[in-house]
Amino acid sequence: KQSMAAVSSVAIWESNGAIKIFTGSHDGFWRLWNTQGGSFVKEFEHNMGGAIDCVVVEANFLFCGFEAITPSLPNVKVGMIQAWNLNSPA
């Protein structure tokens, strides 16, 4: 069983009348939770490769701020942002 780190950031996304919650953690994962029926069911998770400091949903985009190592600076953790279009996440 996988253990999860404490949540460092939360963002709420309303989609087609359903409330979903994104969480980010210092274990490097952001997770999408479905709240339908009054319980939290994990729908998806993605490993960013470094501690997540913030998740934000704005205009149907998910923004994730995190620390990770890049190929151009292999020995230095740098702050990065990645974005996903929630209307077409694939």
Side-chain angles (χ1 to χ4, degrees):
K1 181 181 175 182
Q2 175 184 334
S3 64
M4 291 185 258
V7 171
S8 57
S9 185
V10 175
I12 297 172
W13 177 42
E14 187 172 352
S15 174
N16 298 323
I19 302 293
K20 298 193 178 187
I21 296 176
F22 286 97
T23 59
S25 301
H26 284 181
D27 63 2
F29 284 88
W30 63 257
R31 295 174 175 89
L32 174 61
W33 303 89
N34 188 331
T35 63
Q36 187 175 359
S39 62
F40 288 77
V41 177
K42 183 171 56 174
E43 284 190 5
F44 186 80
E45 66 181 9
H46 183 75
N47 188 347
M48 298 304 298
I52 295 175
D53 292 318
C54 67
V55 289
V56 175
V57 174
E58 185 66 39
N60 280 318
F61 281 86
L62 168 65
F63 298 92
C64 181
F66 62 102
E67 284 187 355
I69 295 174
T70 67
S72 58
L73 297 169
N75 298 316
V76 179
K77 285 186 179 180
V78 296
M80 294 192 246
I81 297 173
Q82 188 161 348
W84 290 266
N85 182 341
L86 298 174
N87 288 328
S88 58

